[in-house]
């Protein structure tokens, strides 16, 4: 079904990942990006496509935007006006509500779905979750999600609002906690070499997470923290958790600390806590 595809932002990691999978599935892929070069590439701005890019968009079965949210929001009008009525519009943004609202306003007849690979593109896709927020359903949406599943992804369908709420917890709160841990290391004057030499598995895991995040592009993590409308609530909740922990310890009453443990056990639930604890034990066993 997807024989001719346009990937905007095809020079970025996510764009390259989708372009490669589409090409491996037999599609002709055209990458539109101001920095694009090489075969199948068009150096153009998707927000104001020139004649060559406009022709590709008009012929496309699938147009996928792997660009920052401000670019995507500007591009929706020009792009969807060029698309065929049976073609599919897709995006890979980390925040879905804004794009969904713009699509419903400007292109209610275009089938559209937002995808978010919940992993770094440097990792292999098979077995990993890809969140899918359908804006306007139809046969092209169903075919594309089936194709992504054929690539080995575990497609998880959510609404745009559910997506943004989930990722605020999964990404904004998690990254904030790891970055705050790193800032604490600096404030404490920690010797990272000494920490590594004696680190128990939980600390080692946090060091590795901090190293992975800070080895990435800051703008990726800025987008998570600044772009998600629920991110501020997530960061505030992380701060409240630290405050509650501090108050429980400062009280000198161990029962208050035990009460926090019971609350956390109830939050996870017996089933999830057991499975996650076992998975953690396996992960720790692999650490050296």
């Amino acid at each position: 079904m997807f024989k001719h595809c346009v990937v905007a932002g095809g020079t970025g990691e996510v764009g390259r990942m989708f372009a490669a999978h589409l090409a491996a599935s037999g599609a002709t892929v055209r990458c539109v990006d101001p920095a694009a070069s090489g075969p199948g590439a068009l150096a153009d701005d998707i927000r104001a496509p020139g004649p060559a890019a406009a022709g590709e968009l008009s012929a496309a079965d699938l147009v996928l935007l792997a660009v920052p949210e401000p670019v995507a929001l500007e591009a929706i009008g020009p792009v969807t006006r060029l698309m065929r009525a049976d073609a599919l519009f897709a995006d890979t943004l980390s925040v879905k509500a804004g794009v969904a609202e713009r699509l419903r306003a400007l292109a209610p007849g275009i089938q559209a779905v937002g995808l978010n690979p919940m992993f770094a593109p440097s990792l292999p896709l098979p077995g990993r979750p890809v969140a899918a927020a359908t804006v306007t359903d139809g046969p092209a949406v169903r075919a594309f999600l089936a194709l992504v599943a054929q690539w080995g992804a575990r497609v998880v369908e959510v609404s745009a609002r559910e997506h943004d709420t989930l990722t605020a917890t999964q990404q904004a709160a998690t990254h904030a906690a790891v970055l705050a841990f790193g800032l604490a290391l600096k404030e404490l004057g920690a010797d990272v070499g000494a920490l590594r030499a004696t680190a128990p598995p939980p600390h080692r895991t946090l060091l590795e997470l901090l190293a992975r995040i800070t080895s990435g592009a800051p703008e990726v993590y800025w987008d998570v923290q600044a772009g998600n409308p629920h991110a501020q609530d997530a960061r505030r909740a992380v701060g409240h958790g630290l405050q509650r922990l501090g108050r429980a310890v400062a009280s000198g009453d161990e029962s208050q600390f035990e009460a926090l443990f019971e609350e956390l056990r109830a939050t996870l639930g017996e089933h999830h806590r057991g499975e996650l604890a076992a998975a953690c034990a396996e992960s720790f066993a692999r650490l050296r």
Side-chain angles (χ1 to χ4, degrees), residues 128-150:
R128 301 190 188 278
V130 173
T134 298
V135 180
T136 303
D137 211 344
V141 171
R142 294 299 114 195
F144 188 46
L145 295 185
L147 179 61
V148 175
Q150 287 176 24

Side-chain angles (χ1 to χ4, degrees), residues 63 65 76 79-80 83 87-91 99 103 110-113:
V63 177
L65 268 58
I76 286 172
V79 167
T80 55
M83 290 174 61
L88 175 64
F89 179 99
D91 73 81
V99 167
L103 279 164
I110 293 288
Q111 296 176 69
V113 63

Side-chain angles (χ1 to χ4, degrees), residues 128-219:
R128 301 190 188 278
V130 173
T134 298
V135 180
T136 303
D137 211 344
V141 171
R142 294 299 114 195
F144 188 46
L145 295 185
L147 179 61
V148 175
Q150 287 176 24
W151 296 341
R154 182 161 49 84
V155 176
V156 182
E157 295 198 53
V158 294
S159 70
R161 180 173 177 79
E162 287 171 335
H163 171 276
D164 292 353
T165 302
L166 284 170
T167 55
T169 302
Q170 294 167 327
Q171 296 179 326
T174 302
H175 297 164
V178 175
L179 292 170
F181 163 75
L183 294 172
L185 295 184
K186 182 178 186 301
E187 183 173 332
L188 294 169
D191 181 332
V192 175
L195 291 175
R196 289 187 66 187
T198 58
H203 185 80
R204 172 74 182 220
T205 300
L206 278 172
L207 286 175
E208 291 178 356
L209 287 168
L210 179 63
R212 182 171 179 81
I213 287 174
T214 55
S215 296
E219 56 266 26

